[in-house]
Amino acid sequence: MPPSDSVRRAPDRRQRRLLILLALGFVVFGTAAAALFYVLQPETLRIAVGPSGSEDHQVVQAMAEAFEEESRTVRLFPIATAGAAESLALLGAGKTDLAIGRGDLAMPADAQTLAVLRKNYVVIWSQSGRAGKGSKKKAAAKIGEIADLAGHKVGIIGKTDANVAVLRTILEGSGVQPDKVATAQFGTDEIEKLAQDATLDAYLAVGPLDSKITAAAIAATSRSRGAPKFLAVEASEAIALRHPRYEAEEIPGSVFNANPAWPEDKIDTISVNHLILARKELSEAKAAAFYRQLFAVRDTITQRVAGATHITKPDTEKETQPSVHRGAAAVINGTERTFLDKYSDYFWFALLLLSGIGSAAAWLRRYLNRDERDDNTGYRNRILAVVSEVRGAESEQDLLASQREVDAIIGETLKCYDEGAIEQEDMAAFGLVLELFNHAVAERRAALQGGAIEAKAPGPSLASRR
């Protein structure tokens, strides 16, 4: 193939190679951009809570709004349910990532605690035996302690079965057979009905100490049945030991009313936590991110819903049921793995991948430059052929034509070298051939010049021959 044809085709090949490299660059950039976009996308966690409109639902809704406004890593998607039991069922079925549930309800086997939404105190009180002002009801037998509840009827605020279960637990722990105590349940919107029910001898409420429902129930019963007599759960510590989902607590004096003081002094009781739960399989990173963000925006949530003031961290110092999720525990205890600890394996993998990419890129470059390398070999062979032609050149014009051809070859070869299409060792071989060409030109030029001088030298004259 004439070298002039190769010279004309070389720009076309370089243009094709450039387009291929640009295409590969766009693919790499697009892949990196997509990966970065995916990594930086906030994680959306589903959270089941109910019933709709309840204080729990309001807190979670405010939590979701605060996460939307301030979190770059976590988002919440609330799922409204009929109540805590349904929320826990969804968690157990894997249809939600998080759930709000009371600690003494039936839990999925792998449920773990992320945070305490609030602490619910069990408050039990009876009528004092003194009718309220204007009341025409006859005073009932006085109930001064849990043991006196046998043979009487207790009104329970809240229609969840968990409240009935906690009363039975307290009765058993206090030595009272639960079957000897009758119960009646009232909705949280039936406080006046509860207060007017003359068949009730005592009352039970479960909620935070600042619960408006508990305070309203105590006030309502005091108006119709006399001042409340608060019943202490003397066996609270023993109950907590036998039932780890309950804790022994004290209700401070005057917490429900200051004048008169309700209660007059602190009394023992038990509490049960309302929890934010997750399945054990939720990754440590996601759980830790949720925990950090929750307490970062807790003040914002509190400004919108007062109930958010009760959100606290779970206790990692003792055995609890359900246990604390490892992600939340790592943040609380300061044992959360660093960025390098988490992703060191990925870094090593990335280094190996980059090494592989480098090798592949080198192979690809050699593959894309194969035509240039073939041309370089052809150029060397052509120069060797020109060397033979130079040695048989008959004039200076023939030498100049050969030099012009070799000059064109040198120009194209240097372009390929600058673009990286030709390796250093190829240039060394090319230099040897070029040196051979230069020697051949110099020798042939000297020979031609010597012949021209000899041809011009004057021969003997005719006169001298004679």
Side-chain angles (χ1 to χ4, degrees):
M1 179 190 300
S4 56
D5 293 341
S6 298
V7 172
R8 283 194 298 270
R9 289 193 340 180
D12 294 335
R13 288 198 298 266
R14 285 198 298 272
Q15 191 173 31
R16 287 198 302 272
R17 186 175 69 248
L18 179 60
L19 290 175
I20 293 174
L21 291 176
L22 285 175
L24 289 175
F26 278 122
V27 170
V28 172
F29 176 79
T31 303
L36 185 63
F37 177 79
Y38 176 78
V39 169
L40 295 179
Q41 277 289 91
E43 183 71 33
T44 299
L45 298 177
R46 301 164 297 173
I47 180 167
V49 59
S52 181
S54 64
E55 183 173 329
D56 289 351
H57 187 266
Q58 293 174 15
V59 171
V60 169
Q61 194 64 45
M63 192 186 302
E65 293 172 358
F67 276 34
E68 179 74 25
E69 295 168 1
E70 301 186 30
S71 174
R72 297 181 181 179
T73 57
V74 182
R75 295 284 191 273
L76 290 180
F77 179 76
I79 301 175
T81 64
E86 183 182 347
S87 298
L88 294 175
L90 290 178
L91 182 67
K95 296 180 180 180
T96 183
D97 303 300
L98 311 175
I100 304 297
R102 218 168 91 170
D104 56 347
L105 292 173
M107 293 280 171
D110 59 349
Q112 292 187 324
T113 302
L114 287 179
V116 177
L117 189 66
R118 67 173 181 274
K119 185 181 289 292
N120 295 317
Y121 291 76
V122 179
V123 183
I124 305 175
W125 71 99
S126 65
Q127 53 189 343
S128 65
R130 301 186 301 274
K133 183 182 292 186
S135 174
K136 297 181 180 180
K137 292 180 173 26
K138 184 179 179 179
K142 186 174 181 179
I143 299 174
E145 58 183 20
I146 298 295
D148 297 335
L149 290 175
H152 294 277
K153 188 176 182 179
V154 178
I156 300 175
I157 302 172
K159 293 190 174 182
T160 173
D161 293 339
N163 285 354
V164 177
V166 74
L167 175 60
R168 294 179 65 88
T169 300
I170 291 172
L171 292 173
E172 289 175 349
S174 304
V176 179
Q177 294 183 16
D179 294 341
K180 291 186 177 182
V181 178
T183 60
Q185 290 184 268
F186 297 82
T188 55
D189 57 348
E190 298 177 320
I191 299 300
E192 287 302 324
K193 181 180 178 180
L194 170 119
Q196 298 300 322
D197 192 331
T199 66
L200 301 178
D201 303 307
Y203 311 91
L204 178 144
V206 182
L209 290 178
D210 60 352
S211 170
K212 294 180 180 179
I213 295 173
T214 301
I218 294 172
T221 57
S222 70
R223 288 192 298 269
S224 61
R225 308 294 296 275
K229 168 64 179 178
F230 293 91
L231 308 182
V233 182
E234 302 291 348
S236 59
E237 292 187 1
I239 293 172
L241 285 174
R242 288 196 297 268
H243 305 276
R245 293 186 178 183
Y246 299 116
E247 297 179 12
E249 299 287 352
E250 288 184 346
I251 298 176
S254 304
V255 70
F256 301 118
N257 195 62
N259 188 21
W262 294 344
E264 294 180 355
D265 198 1
K266 63 183 180 181
I267 58 174
D268 293 327
T269 188
I270 62 173
S271 68
V272 58
N273 289 327
H274 227 68
L275 305 170
I276 302 176
L277 299 157
R279 297 181 69 184
K280 184 178 181 179
E281 66 184 27
L282 183 70
S283 71
E284 180 178 340
K286 293 179 182 179
F290 170 82
Y291 181 89
R292 283 195 304 269
Q293 189 58 35
L294 172 62
F295 285 90
V297 302
R298 184 175 59 173
D299 291 343
T300 302
I301 303 171
T302 302
Q303 293 173 6
R304 301 175 183 180
V305 182
T309 56
H310 302 296
I311 298 175
T312 57
K313 66 180 183 179
D315 191 351
T316 59
E317 298 294 328
K318 61 181 181 180
E319 292 286 339
T320 58
Q321 290 186 5
S323 60
V324 181
H325 193 284
R326 65 190 184 281
V331 179
I332 295 169
N333 298 329
T335 58
E336 188 178 10
R337 292 185 299 168
T338 64
F339 181 83
L340 289 177
D341 291 336
K342 292 179 182 178
Y343 300 108
S344 58
D345 292 342
Y346 293 101
F347 286 143
W348 286 112
F349 177 75
L351 289 175
L352 292 174
L353 182 62
L354 288 175
S355 177
I357 291 175
S359 299
W363 176 86
L364 180 62
R365 188 182 68 171
R366 292 184 63 84
Y367 177 78
L368 293 175
N369 294 333
R370 66 189 186 284
D371 292 335
E372 281 75 6
R373 292 197 304 274
D374 292 342
D375 287 345
N376 183 58
T377 302
Y379 292 158
R380 292 202 308 267
N381 294 335
R382 176 56 189 162
I383 293 176
L384 288 173
V386 172
V387 169
S388 299
E389 296 175 3
V390 164
R391 289 191 173 126
E394 297 180 354
S395 66
E396 182 68 24
Q397 286 74 19
D398 294 338
L399 291 177
L400 291 176
S402 297
Q403 283 185 312
R404 282 193 294 270
E405 182 178 352
V406 171
D407 288 344
I409 293 174
I410 292 173
E412 183 60 29
T413 301
L414 290 176
K415 287 181 182 179
C416 293
Y417 177 76
D418 291 339
E419 295 173 359
I422 299 177
E423 302 294 339
Q424 183 69 38
E425 55 270 21
D426 295 327
M427 287 298 293
F430 184 82
L432 290 175
V433 175
L434 190 61
E435 185 176 356
L436 179 63
F437 170 77
N438 290 333
H439 282 303
V441 170
E443 290 175 359
R444 188 58 183 165
R445 180 170 283 121
L448 290 175
Q449 291 177 352
I453 293 174
E454 183 177 341
K456 291 180 181 179
S461 61
L462 181 58
S464 63
R465 288 200 301 270
R466 291 179 178 176

